[in-house]
Amino acid sequence: MNTQAYSRILGSGFVTGEVVIDNHRLARVFDTSDEWIRERSGIEQRYFVKEGTATSDLGVGAAKKALEDAKVKPEEIDYIVVATMTPDHYFPGVGPQLQAKLGMGTIPTLDIRQQCSGFVYGMQVCDALIRSGAAKRLLFVGCEIHSNFFPLSKVGWDIVMGRSDAKIDPAELERNNNHRGVLVLFGDAAGALVMGPTEDPQRGFLGYSLHTDGQDMKTLYAAAPGFAYRPYNNQAHIDEQLFVPQMEGKTVFKMAVTKMPESVREVCEKVGVQVSELDLLVPHQANLRISAGVQKSLKLPDEKVYNNIQRYGNTTAATIPIAYDECMKAGRIKPGNLVCFTALGAGFHWGAALMRA
Ligand code: UT7
């Protein structure tokens, strides 16, 4: 076991769904408005995939960009970790598909499912794999297709995707309204990192603060399909639209603005740095107002907090690698910078990861 090595990010990349969907498009299939969505969430647009594109396809796209950025060949990768809550199929996970589509031989793959916290949880897993010597060139992908949660008819899809100017059927509009609080938030995308060891203890991942509280699991969940039912998928699930995520938005909001700053403070304390020493905070992109609340609680100035939810919506496990990639490419993360990642999501799972770039 090589416990001397620390791990760091060697490269990153991301892709989005092919079709940009602005708020006005959504306002044609349920009662909402561009103004409401911007005001409550900061979101201006999101991307949806075209029919036929699967979560693993987005993952492959992001992986290829990260490999190119890291100047690492696919055959050099010796471990794949994937975070997603929207796999192509109920089982197996997306890891095997990514491995096969990228032609990576029989290297191990691991799927983790911590929803919006998937990436901060996964950072600890990847770091541990590298530090133990189990992996030397690791591919870590966060990929999601949320648009397929939409309970739309064919006509509804044609309207959203810009293929039809028809008006939505009033009965469908009414049904869609039941889910409008959730449906406005999410987008399709994937982000990826290539990670590897470094002998420099000053650079790389420094520590984590991770938590789970399953007491209020039903505050944010998709009730069906699932193995709590016999059979695990049935007509009633479809009739009652139980496959669309249900969320008590205000409760999740309050949890996020409390627990995310708490975990940032906790990881800083563990590592022995002050929150004020952070050069950049990359919060999971759930809502611009949540990010603003976290920023205020931590007393960080605007230039130290990165947000891009305006352009992508909430892409769950993909938000953090996308934000990281944008920050790197824009020169907002420089060698030596102290960068903190934080997230909260369904489970509830939440936490923070701290690294020195
Ligand atoms: O990634 C982690 C998971 N998710 C989150 O972190 C999300 C956390 N929660 C939130 O971001 C916010 O709670 C939302 C953006 C989801 C909702 O904002 P809110 O300020 O909590 O609104 P609300 O649910 O309390 O709804 C306020 C009003 C209601 O109308 P009345 O009862 O005041 O007449 C809703 O029916 O807004 C209505 N509403 C909408 N109106 C237009 C709810 N959704 C919509 C909508 N468009 N999409």
Side-chain angles (χ1 to χ4, degrees):
M1 280 230 314
N2 177 8
T3 49
Q4 296 310 303
Y6 290 75
S7 75
R8 57 183 289 256
I9 300 170
L10 306 173
S12 58
F14 77 94
V15 297
T16 65
E18 302 92 341
V19 185
V20 63
I21 308 285
D22 66 17
N23 295 335
H24 300 286
R25 292 263 194 104
L26 299 186
R28 298 188 57 201
V29 291
F30 47 83
D31 289 319
T32 190
S33 65
D34 179 49
E35 194 189 358
W36 191 96
I37 300 171
R38 280 175 194 251
E39 206 177 290
R40 302 277 173 149
S41 71
I43 298 167
E44 295 166 16
Q45 60 171 50
R46 78 285 294 136
Y47 293 84
F48 286 175
V49 290
K50 286 185 179 160
E51 204 171 342
T53 300
T55 303
S56 61
D57 297 321
L58 290 183
V60 166
K64 284 184 176 166
K65 289 196 173 179
L67 288 164
E68 200 181 312
D69 189 47
K71 298 186 178 53
V72 168
K73 296 191 188 82
E75 56 271 28
E76 291 177 74
I77 294 293
D78 55 8
Y79 215 115
I80 299 175
V81 177
V82 189
T84 183
M85 59 172 274
T86 52
D88 294 12
H89 304 289
Y90 200 96
F91 75 86
V94 167
Q97 282 156 292
L98 274 186
Q99 182 218 56
K101 288 183 182 181
L102 290 161
M104 287 183 170
T106 60
I107 58 166
T109 76
L110 177 67
D111 275 61
I112 60 170
R113 39 177 307 172
Q114 263 58 38
Q115 293 70 241
C116 295
S117 302
F119 224 79
V120 285
Y121 265 74
M123 280 170 165
Q124 188 185 46
V125 171
C126 296
D127 185 24
L129 286 167
I130 292 165
R131 290 176 75 150
S132 73
K136 285 213 157 25
R137 285 287 177 272
L138 184 148
L139 177 64
F140 180 25
V141 181
C143 43
E144 306 284 2
I145 291 185
H146 287 298
S147 54
N148 289 341
F149 279 125
F150 271 59
L152 298 180
S153 65
K154 187 181 174 310
V155 174
W157 271 117
D158 285 343
I159 295 171
V160 165
M161 298 301 267
R163 295 188 294 256
S164 165
D165 287 332
K167 267 190 93 112
I168 192 88
D169 172 67
E172 181 176 354
L173 179 94
E174 213 44 53
R175 277 199 310 277
N176 294 343
N177 279 346
N178 293 331
H179 310 291
R180 62 182 179 167
V182 168
L183 297 184
V184 293
L185 298 178
F186 295 96
D188 304 339
L193 305 180
V194 175
M195 292 172 60
T198 163
E199 296 304 321
D200 182 354
Q202 305 300 320
R203 290 186 76 187
F205 284 92
L206 305 174
Y208 308 87
S209 146
L210 299 176
H211 298 276
T212 297
D213 183 351
Q215 298 278 352
D216 299 317
M217 182 274 288
K218 291 189 176 174
T219 304
L220 174 53
Y221 83 130
F227 290 87
Y229 314 96
R230 182 171 290 163
Y232 84 107
N233 192 17
N234 62 55
Q235 191 60 43
H237 299 155
I238 295 170
D239 295 342
E240 292 166 37
Q241 300 191 329
L242 294 185
F243 56 89
V244 185
Q246 301 169 30
M247 176 173 73
E248 289 169 31
K250 285 211 184 316
T251 310
V252 181
F253 193 101
K254 278 185 205 146
M255 283 284 285
V257 293
T258 313
K259 298 298 180 190
M260 285 161 71
E262 228 172 74
S263 53
V264 171
R265 283 188 205 101
E266 197 181 358
V267 74
C268 285
E269 202 179 317
K270 272 189 191 173
V271 170
V273 300
Q274 301 291 319
V275 171
S276 58
E277 289 175 61
L278 294 179
D279 294 295
L280 190 68
L281 179 72
V282 180
H284 163 58
Q285 300 291 292
N287 184 323
L288 200 54
R289 287 163 57 219
I290 292 178
S291 287
V294 173
Q295 177 180 346
K296 192 168 166 219
S297 170
L298 294 170
K299 299 189 175 62
L300 290 169
D302 286 351
E303 65 275 14
K304 286 191 174 186
V305 182
Y306 188 73
N307 290 299
N308 60 13
I309 192 169
Q310 300 90 329
R311 283 172 282 135
Y312 307 114
N314 180 349
T315 59
T316 308
T319 65
I320 286 182
I322 294 174
Y324 172 83
D325 187 63
E326 288 193 338
C327 288
M328 283 302 289
K329 306 277 153 73
R332 284 190 71 165
I333 300 176
K334 299 190 178 61
N337 277 180
L338 206 46
V339 182
C340 191
F341 306 94
T342 182
L344 175 133
F348 284 95
H349 297 289
W350 69 92
L354 188 61
M355 66 160 224
R356 174 88 58 194

